Amino acid sequence: MKNFKEYLSESAVAKKHTFRVKVAGDFTSEQESKLKTMMEKYKVDSFSKLKTTPVQALPLDFPQVRNCEVNIYEVTVDYPTTQQELTEYLALGLGVSKQHLVVRR
């Protein structure tokens, strides 16, 4: 049986939280650098652009959007947060409509 100190040391281990941020439509390099800067609030461990999809008639995760490309980023942070909180924070900060921004775990 473990003692209290062992439980405490196990819970203090840094946990990583990975999110995929998808942005539909035009997304400039300035907005991309602003996205990375805004994510520093949550102590970014890694930030990478996975891909930009080709123009699609109905992009996945964006039912209200038509005929656009999707930029996909993978972000790993040390500070815990939720998908809804990140969506609100990034949509306001980047000046992007919530219909054009999706955050997934």
Side-chain angles (χ1 to χ4, degrees):
M1 187 164 184
K2 297 179 184 179
N3 63 26
F4 178 71
K5 286 184 182 180
E6 290 172 341
Y7 280 114
L8 186 61
S9 66
E10 286 177 4
S11 68
V13 174
K15 295 179 182 174
K16 307 290 182 196
H17 307 278
T18 303
F19 296 95
R20 285 217 173 159
V21 179
K22 298 180 179 184
V23 184
D26 294 330
F27 199 65
T28 64
S29 58
E30 291 84 25
Q31 287 176 309
E32 183 177 334
S33 62
K34 188 171 182 179
L35 170 65
K36 187 171 182 177
T37 304
M38 290 177 70
M39 290 302 295
E40 289 297 328
K41 174 181 178 180
Y42 300 99
K43 300 189 182 190
V44 172
D45 187 50
S46 69
F47 181 91
S48 62
K49 182 174 184 176
L50 294 181
K51 65 180 178 178
T52 300
T53 65
V55 175
Q56 300 172 2
L58 294 169
L60 185 64
D61 292 328
F62 300 98
Q64 301 89 355
V65 180
R66 304 271 189 256
N67 299 322
C68 67
E69 60 186 18
V70 178
N71 295 289
I72 303 171
Y73 301 89
E74 187 165 270
V75 183
T76 303
V77 295
D78 294 330
Y79 192 79
T81 187
T82 64
Q83 294 169 269
Q84 293 81 12
E85 183 180 350
L86 271 180
T87 302
E88 292 288 329
Y89 174 67
L90 294 175
L92 278 173
L94 294 172
V96 175
S97 166
K98 284 190 235 176
Q99 294 178 345
H100 289 82
L101 184 110
V102 172
V103 178
R104 298 270 185 237
R105 274 215 141 193

